Amino acid sequence: MTINRRRFLSGTAGLAAGGLLAGTLGTRHSLAQASASMFTPEEGATLRLLRWVPFVTGEEEAWNANTAAFTEATGVEVRIDQESWEDVRPKAAVAANVGSGPDMVMSWFDDPFQYPDKLVDVTDLANALGEEHGGWYEGLEGYARQGDKFIAIPLCAIGNAICYRESHMKAAGFSEFPQDTDGFLELCKAMKANGTPAGFPHGKAVGDGNNYAHWLLWSHGGMTVDESGAVAINSPETKAAIDYAKALYETFIPGTESWLDINNNRAFLAGEVSLTANGVSLYYAAAKDEALKEIAEDIRTTNLPIGPVGKSVELHQTSTLSIFNHCQYPQAAKANIAFMYQAERMNAWLEGASAYCCQALKAFESNPVWTSNPVHAPYAKASASLRPNGYAGPLGPASAGVMADYVLVDMFAEAVTGQRTPEEAIANAERRIARYYR
């Protein structure tokens, strides 16, 4: 999709009406800001961005409007290609390794660590943006920095929280949502008995599957590797996490072992499940559909329960922006990213996303979107509170490989479905993790 003048005007109409876009075409002034003025697009430059399919229409509209404003200001056309969540990772890896295709990618988690030598050094841009906007959140910065070098620009955390039907919880005999894992299991049992079951993905879901699997493991004190990177998955804590997952699975709607990121949304909105974990997009999918207004008014959100480890431990999905070495116009690409992070642009994007995307830079945590609706509250601190993938070891190619290979997701799926015993599932995960942490 190439952003053109016509699409720009259409895309910005909603933002202007909402008072979100201050000075629709004030881009030349904006480009004078420090980070943007560091980079001058090459003559005749064009760009192509590969991004994940948006779940929130307003997020896509705001991103496209900002992109169109960049084109208006610089003359640099930007083509945006969208791929499903599951397909962004392999397509980006192919582009990196063959040296052709999109110039930039909006990728997941620590994917940039799978091909760091194929990416443009963006340290100058990252440092400038950090200095301008209050600094990066540590967890998100870790997904983009290799040693002293930024191989990507942190973009956002997509918060993951429990979404549930309040009336169904109360009908199950609970006046308040349980805050610990024992109480959570009892709630799920009661909701199943009432015919309003829960459901969490055990399939290869990039976001929801990984969020659920990591919470299961970490909330019981388990870890894939220790601080030194030694494989540590085979532990009593992992066995306890699997036993808990098996008990929860017994309360779920059938078929969750094949769920991808979209399936829990569909099941919830269809009334098939009354409790799952998701981004705030689930709420807005209901709120914006007249036929689902009753469900929307009944939706409540809360953070995932605290387990035996005694504190909140949530992964949260993260995304970064990278520039491939094969990009013919790296200065234009850096200018584009700098433009998108200018205050008026980033604030418009965060508001358009309706709390779906949590800022990577601390200066934007005061955006009013976080206090505009109580449903947003569990998502507001995702960037500050997230625990990075690969805990308790360092981020790098090994952690990225384990994530991309769905090792934890598979371990829990194998055990809860009975494909393997818990001990066999742990041993299989241990072998697979060891292949990456050599």
Side-chain angles (χ1 to χ4, degrees):
M1 175 180 57
T2 298
I3 302 295
N4 55 32
R5 171 76 175 172
R6 181 178 179 183
R7 187 174 181 85
F8 164 59
L9 292 174
S10 174
T12 54
L15 294 174
L20 300 176
L21 195 56
T24 306
L25 294 177
T27 52
R28 285 177 172 77
H29 168 72
S30 300
L31 277 174
Q33 293 183 15
S35 58
S37 62
M38 292 171 60
F39 310 103
T40 302
E42 298 86 348
E43 187 68 27
T46 60
L47 296 170
R48 182 179 162 196
L49 168 69
L50 172 63
R51 66 156 295 171
W52 31 267
V53 169
F55 267 56
V56 177
T57 302
E59 179 273 309
E60 179 186 21
E61 291 175 347
W63 187 271
N64 289 350
N66 287 344
T67 301
F70 171 75
T71 299
E72 185 78 7
T74 64
V76 178
E77 295 283 344
V78 181
R79 169 181 160 182
I80 301 176
D81 296 334
Q82 297 183 357
E83 291 290 347
S84 70
W85 284 28
E86 293 80 10
D87 288 341
V88 167
R89 177 175 287 143
K91 288 186 179 295
V94 169
N97 288 300
V98 303
S100 66
D103 302 289
M104 303 182 291
V105 60
M106 190 183 287
S107 59
W108 298 127
F109 295 111
D110 38 1
D111 285 354
F113 287 93
Q114 296 195 82
Y115 36 78
D117 58 334
K118 309 293 185 183
L119 301 175
V120 171
D121 183 344
V122 290
T123 306
D124 49 359
L125 173 57
N127 286 338
L129 290 173
E131 291 173 5
E132 285 180 8
H133 301 297
W136 302 100
Y137 291 102
E138 182 180 357
L140 282 165
E141 181 177 335
Y143 279 113
R145 199 177 71 181
Q146 187 179 50
D148 295 331
K149 175 182 172 183
F150 278 86
I151 56 175
I153 300 294
L155 177 62
C156 66
I158 298 177
N160 186 268
I162 296 285
C163 302
Y164 65 99
R165 296 280 300 270
E166 184 180 44
S167 64
H168 294 180
M169 178 195 71
K170 290 182 175 178
F174 288 73
S175 59
E176 295 183 352
F177 199 90
Q179 297 301 302
D180 60 26
T181 47
D182 288 342
F184 181 61
L185 176 58
E186 294 307 311
L187 170 63
C188 290
K189 289 178 179 177
M191 291 184 72
K192 180 186 180 184
N194 267 10
T196 57
F200 288 73
H202 277 296
K204 289 179 171 56
V206 176
D208 298 331
N210 273 306
N211 282 312
Y212 180 54
H214 283 76
W215 168 74
L216 285 168
L217 179 69
W218 291 343
S219 66
H220 288 79
M223 60 186 74
T224 51
V225 297
D226 64 18
E227 292 84 350
S228 68
V231 180
I233 191 68
N234 198 339
S235 70
E237 290 80 8
T238 301
K239 174 63 165 53
I242 287 180
D243 290 343
Y244 182 78
K246 286 170 63 70
L248 267 185
Y249 179 74
E250 293 299 317
T251 73
F252 292 172
I253 184 176
T256 60
E257 60 273 14
S258 62
W259 277 9
L260 301 180
D261 284 290
I262 191 63
N263 295 98
N264 57 336
N265 301 54
R266 289 173 176 167
F268 192 100
L269 297 175
E272 296 170 355
V273 299
S274 300
L275 191 161
T276 189
N278 206 81
V280 75
S281 54
L282 177 60
Y283 166 76
Y284 279 102
K288 293 181 178 179
D289 187 335
E290 193 60 37
L292 300 176
K293 288 289 185 184
E294 182 179 345
I295 291 178
E297 292 171 359
D298 197 29
I299 291 177
R300 299 295 182 271
T301 57
T302 188
N303 291 109
L304 289 157
I306 294 173
V309 75
K311 60 182 179 181
S312 179
V313 282
E314 297 176 310
L315 175 71
H316 296 303
Q317 194 162 3
T318 61
S319 188
T320 58
L321 285 166
S322 299
I323 305 170
F324 292 113
N325 278 341
H326 62 251
C327 174
Q328 296 182 51
Y329 309 108
Q331 293 297 304
K334 287 185 178 182
N336 174 246
I337 295 173
F339 186 90
M340 305 297 272
Y341 280 71
Q342 290 175 9
E344 65 182 285
R345 306 297 168 195
M346 182 54 67
N347 277 318
W349 183 62
L350 293 171
E351 292 196 40
S354 302
Y356 186 66
C357 299
C358 191
Q359 67 282 336
L361 287 159
K362 296 176 182 176
F364 298 108
E365 66 185 16
S366 59
N367 189 295
V369 72
W370 300 117
T371 53
S372 63
N373 188 327
V375 168
H376 297 174
Y379 304 98
K381 303 297 183 184
S383 296
S385 65
L386 66 85
R387 172 181 279 184
N389 175 42
Y391 175 84
L395 284 165
S399 64
V402 171
M403 170 72 81
D405 204 10
Y406 295 95
V407 174
L408 282 189
V409 172
D410 289 348
M411 180 185 74
F412 284 107
E414 290 167 358
V416 301
T417 59
Q419 180 182 348
R420 297 179 189 271
T421 67
E423 291 76 13
E424 290 171 344
I426 293 171
N428 189 41
E430 186 177 33
R431 285 192 294 270
R432 293 174 67 187
I433 294 170
R435 287 203 293 264
Y436 294 98
Y437 286 87
R438 292 177 177 174

